[in-house]
Amino acid sequence: MAFTAPYTYIQCPCSSDPPELDPGEQAAQDAIESDDEYTFDPRAPRANYSLYPLEYLLYCEECQEIRCPKCVNEEIVTYFCPNCLFEVPSSNLRSEGNRCTRSCFQCPVCTSPVQAGEIPNEPDPTLLGADNNPAAHVSYALFCQYCNWSSSEIGIEFDRPSGIPAQLAKVKNGGEPKITAKDLKERRKENPDEPPIADNLVDTELQFANLKSFFQNQLSDSTGVLGNLSLADGAGFSSPAALSRIMTLYTAGRGQPGRQRGPPDTMREAHSTDDGLRIAKLDESAEVKKLFRGGWDETVSREQTLAQLEPARFQDELRPTQCTLRTKRSKRCAVCRHIISKPENKVASTRFKIRLVAKNYIPSISIRPLKPTASGILVGLRPNVQIEKPLKPLQPCQYIVTFTNPLFESIKVTLATPNSTPGRFSSRVTLLCPEFEVDANTDMWDDALRDDGDLKRRDDSNGQAEAGKIYERGRNWVSVVLEVIPPSLRVENLDLTAKPGEAVDKSPLKEDEDILEIPMFVRIEWEAEAQHDITGTAGRDKDAREKRELAYWCVLGVGQISHE
Amino acid sequence: MASGAGPTTLPHRSVTNIRSGPSQGPPGPSSPHTPPRNIASVYGSPSTVRADDEIIVVEIGSRFIRAGFAGDSLPKATVQCGPEQQRRAGDFRAWQTLARKPGQAWAAEHEIWRYDLREVDTGLVRDKLDRLLRDAFTKHLLLDSRPRRTALVLDSDLPVPLVSAVLDTVFDRFQTPMVSLLSSATMSTVAAGTRSALIINMGWSETVITSVYEYREVKTTRTVRGGRFLLDELYSKLLVPLVTDERQQDNADHVISFEETEDIMCRLMWCRPSATRLSQRDSAQLETVEEQDESDVETPTNATPSTGTTQVPFNSTVPPRTVDVAFESLANVCDDVFFDPSAPAASFDDHELPIHMLVYQHLLQLPIDVRAICMSRIIFTGGCSAILGLKERVVDEVSSMVDRRGWEPVSGKGAEKHNQKLQGRSAKGSPGETSPPEDRQIEHILNPAFAEPEYDSVEAKIARHRYHDQPIQGKLRALHSLGPWAGASLMCQLKISALATIDRELWQQQGSLGASRPNEVDFKAQQRQSMGAGGLIRGSGGHHMNWTLGAWGAA
């Protein structure tokens, strides 16, 4: 439903499975399916997930099917940082957490890249920071070029301008050093009687590490005696280990006094901070006061928290995040495993080694009004979009639908549209010429050198909207006329068209309900050279022609209906 | 409750049969263990190890999906399902700067699913999940389409059709060879380091209280007082009168967009401390104890810090404007939604009990042992638990209710009269409602639960030899949990297999109808199978095996 009508969308055949219905409706649906009367409804909520612009679609030559992003398998060619464009080897990926470790940071406020820079040492109003004493200790911070955020706002400054990620990982917001599990272990080694650190110093990572080591200890403890007995080396008593195992079965209990009484093989729960236990901090009056003081501006918006690794509430809890890496992916057909798209390995290159885009295999469809209301735009102002006036309800208007054939064979196109579009406000649609042939995409000069015989065939185009006739025909394109009577968008009028006894949905207009969309079923037939390269029959019918067809639903976005 | 009377004798037995949790985690005393496995890397070929290593943990709630790798403390991606995510490919209106007009579709288009299946199109749910997961996997987890084992963290009350929609998506679209289902309540327990807990999940659609005892979900109660209710109340009671002059008509378009309302809820919502806490603080501040009646709980006392207002910009209103929002009124909304102090206790329906009452009722209905353990392991999870001061308020309210009423399942006038009679008979004094401390003392004497046990020399001897750490029990205590996602990440990294582990082939052959009941499944076989290095054994015995959806039930 791109906003700038007119447009066309194509439904990938992979998602045209029959819609799931209740058992009751299913029977009715079956009846419809068997008659091939099923009409695709572009306004159904599920339609958004299966419709693609032509440019998004690929084509598998082997299966001769359209392939959408859903029905391809992907393989990653390279990982790279979008900011510094450096390639990251896949072995480093896990340890680096899918993020760039080369000083590429994003501003937590506005997500633009931040850069390390010197902090002006003495904010001397007379000097504009030009002549600072070079001997003085210089500290660095990250600065956002766009929104002027700097990491000194959250109390983080660095000693060196390089190796920011390592430095940042060691500091908490506010400048305090971050306590990691490793630190704790070392501290414990030096001073075994030290009480566990206070709960408010424990952050998510530390608690997770504590929990992990706690569970690992517990698991190995509890499986120590009995666990090894049962599963260590399988069943059977042939080995000496098994013998000693049986011996310990009866003595183990007595041999180890600690284990005997207590439940030996259940894990206990965490008891202290070192085990990962953390008492919840219930008293949040300080935060409430902070909220009162700072108000709206002090808090973090939804987008900002989502970009953070850990959820944050106040602005000073935000941290700059490292850029997430991106990937270049090659795509394979999910059915036949043939590669249908493969980009070049180099990060900076935008070229593809293989790319079978659907635009080269299926006709592109465009739609424009027969009598445009918008005046053309001057060449100088070209990127501007000319916006058509909204369609007048209940007044017929005509559109030209153009099919352009990219194939080197001429194709036979059969179109079908429902008489009235599905949905609450249904428009009447008439295709003046539902069956026609589009010539092959031959060389431009061939066209000029053609003899008269071919020209005669083109006489069916008359430049007028007439039933059963093509509107216009060119080298590899054909235009036909589509007539539409848009509905009135008044909710009150719904009663008039509704069948008696049917409930009428009189809720106000929903988003995009005023856009006229026409589902159209397109069926293409053409004859291509048979692809029997590998099989033995190749020699025999070398120039045998093979009939092919492709059928899919597409959606024509005609325009906006006026609200009068 | 049928289980209320019986289990006092053998609570564990009866309790464990109610619902066997999906986390077979640390199994009971009898079941054998495999040591945490580091061996796999020695025997398996490097490629299988890598594929095996990367277990993807996906937590699916009704608003968010969190996805990441097992062993990480935080998920790599948190994706949300909004109308912008539901547009067609190539529709870039989400990036246009103009704010979206607030339509009439409100919360529904921001949710992945609702549990009320009458309103849910499972096909649409599948599409949404597909897109969200694909988004998370490609953009944040940087995965290709190679098959990977997946652990799904789901609410254990998720209806089977939705579970099967999730599984269909994961198996069909992402070629996952095997999926483990983990219940979010149990995983929250794990992420707090305990074996039992009372999980108060203040989620979007409702607040669910689940008591987990020895990693098994024992009881679940719920109330609609959750995020959606709060948002609706915030919108209709506070924001609409601020923005518009006339009252909003039904069925009309919303005047403020959902996103902005939610933003206000997340950023500014706070909760007043309970009356008792407030009086404590007052006494600390003013050094004079003010007598406070129960009646003025909801009226703010003068001692609360001056709250004032804050300026909130609205872009979705016509025209855009900046409005002063008073913090007091935000707290009023919060009070009304979660505690509803003004309404009498009898006026609530079963599905809309205030949180503190629900917690109390829930604990009350638990067997006494379970209650003792669970009440000192209260864990708050879910989005609404981030509201400032809310956790403290809930705990305070519950503890004051316990102080007031004890653990008497019967309350009301008749019960009071009866109690008075008893007290009149036994104690000579006249204990009335006016002196609650005395009352409680007497109750202590009366109630055998509070009686001092006689000294037993044999018992003491046993106790000396018993496992020395007695678990903390019997007092209210709240624990901090890392959340269900982190719990599942821990479990998967420790290679503890889930009870509900579903094989792709079996699922595609049988669907949800093939699931058997949890007790019909041979866990050991399954455990061995799922933990075998690189799934070497999978091919052999897979087809004859029973499998289960665990707590999610059998169709």
Side-chain angles (χ1 to χ4, degrees), chain B residues 185-489:
Chain B
T186 323
M187 288 305 112
S188 299
T189 316
V190 169
T194 54
R195 299 172 60 86
S196 320
L198 185 79
I199 309 290
I200 303 178
N201 180 6
M202 310 181 83
W204 169 249
S205 50
E206 52 191 4
T207 295
V208 184
I209 300 180
T210 315
S211 39
V212 176
Y213 186 70
E214 297 293 319
Y215 295 120
R216 282 173 168 79
E217 289 180 15
V218 175
K219 184 178 169 64
T220 305
T221 49
R222 53 193 60 241
T223 167
V224 293
R225 292 170 189 271
R228 185 163 56 207
F229 188 45
L230 177 64
L231 187 97
D232 288 347
E233 292 289 297
L234 175 71
Y235 175 76
S236 58
K237 296 246 173 79
L238 179 61
L239 298 180
V240 170
L242 274 178
V243 174
T244 55
D245 302 327
E246 72 267 34
R247 296 215 46 190
Q248 213 209 350
Q249 297 138 14
D250 288 342
N251 217 1
D253 278 6
H254 286 267
V255 287
I256 308 169
S257 71
F258 179 88
E259 289 88 349
E260 284 190 328
T261 315
E262 196 190 12
D263 220 19
I264 291 172
M265 180 174 90
C266 296
R267 290 168 81 157
L268 297 180
M269 194 50 85
W270 67 289
C271 179
R272 276 193 209 102
S274 67
T276 49
R277 175 74 56 176
L278 217 55
S279 62
Q280 277 172 21
R281 272 192 208 150
D282 286 349
S283 61
Q285 280 171 2
L286 305 173
E287 296 176 358
T288 47
V289 184
E290 279 179 21
E291 214 27 65
Q292 276 201 331
D293 283 341
E294 301 287 57
S295 56
D296 54 29
V297 175
E298 61 275 4
T299 58
T301 50
N302 299 329
T304 39
S306 61
T307 52
T309 61
T310 184
Q311 291 200 320
V312 179
F314 287 105
N315 286 323
S316 58
T317 53
V318 188
R321 56 202 284 187
T322 305
V323 172
D324 281 336
V325 177
F327 283 116
E328 265 321 307
S329 51
L330 284 166
N332 286 340
V333 173
C334 184
D335 271 11
D336 284 347
V337 167
F338 291 114
F339 303 102
D340 216 343
S342 51
S347 68
F348 299 115
D349 222 333
D350 273 356
H351 68 288
E352 51 167 30
L353 279 174
I355 306 273
H356 59 291
M357 282 191 203
L358 187 71
V359 176
Y360 177 78
Q361 294 289 347
H362 185 104
L363 285 170
L364 196 63
Q365 287 162 10
L366 284 177
I368 192 161
D369 286 7
V370 181
R371 183 202 302 159
I373 292 284
C374 285
M375 70 188 283
S376 50
R377 284 157 189 79
I378 297 176
I379 293 170
F380 289 90
T381 60
C384 289
S385 66
I387 294 173
L388 292 175
L390 186 62
K391 288 178 274 189
E392 187 184 38
R393 172 80 181 266
V394 172
V395 173
D396 284 351
E397 294 278 354
V398 172
S399 69
S400 77
M401 274 184 90
V402 175
D403 283 348
R404 220 166 39 233
R405 289 173 50 182
W407 294 111
E408 288 295 330
V410 186
S411 66
K413 272 191 187 147
E416 267 169 38
K417 246 182 228 167
H418 182 69
N419 278 349
Q420 269 176 6
K421 240 186 254 169
L422 280 178
Q423 283 157 9
R425 219 180 294 157
S426 60
K428 292 295 161 226
S430 58
E433 289 86 351
T434 45
S435 56
E438 266 179 62
D439 195 7
R440 221 177 303 136
Q441 274 174 6
I442 287 155
E443 199 183 313
H444 276 220
I445 297 164
L446 283 176
N447 197 334
F450 296 110
E452 283 282 320
E454 284 177 34
Y455 182 75
D456 186 346
S457 59
V458 180
E459 190 69 40
K461 212 171 191 177
I462 295 169
R464 225 174 296 143
H465 287 285
R466 206 175 274 161
Y467 193 51
H468 54 275
D469 307 293
Q470 274 301 321
I472 297 168
Q473 56 181 30
K475 62 171 191 183
L476 285 174
R477 182 182 68 157
L479 295 181
H480 178 88
S481 166
L482 288 174
W485 190 91
S489 160

Side-chain angles (χ1 to χ4, degrees), chain A residues 108-123:
Chain A
V109 178
C110 68
T111 69
S112 58
V114 291
Q115 282 167 358
E118 265 179 45
I119 299 172
N121 236 3
E122 281 132 301

Side-chain angles (χ1 to χ4, degrees), chain A residues 73 334, chain B residues 145-150 167-180 501-512 526 529 538 542-543 545 547:
Chain A
N73 282 347
Chain B
S145 319
R146 253 184 307 164
R148 283 180 175 78
R149 290 190 53 185
T150 305
L167 287 173
D168 277 342
T169 313
V170 174
F171 283 129
D172 295 347
R173 300 281 190 197
F174 299 100
Q175 277 92 37
T176 313
M178 199 177 270
V179 169
S180 320
T501 301
I502 303 145
D503 196 88
R504 177 166 186 233
E505 284 164 26
L506 287 175
W507 176 263
Q508 287 185 332
Q509 280 168 17
Q510 302 170 358
S512 63
Q526 197 171 31
Q529 175 211 17
R538 197 194 312 145
H543 295 283
M545 245 180 38
W547 56 280

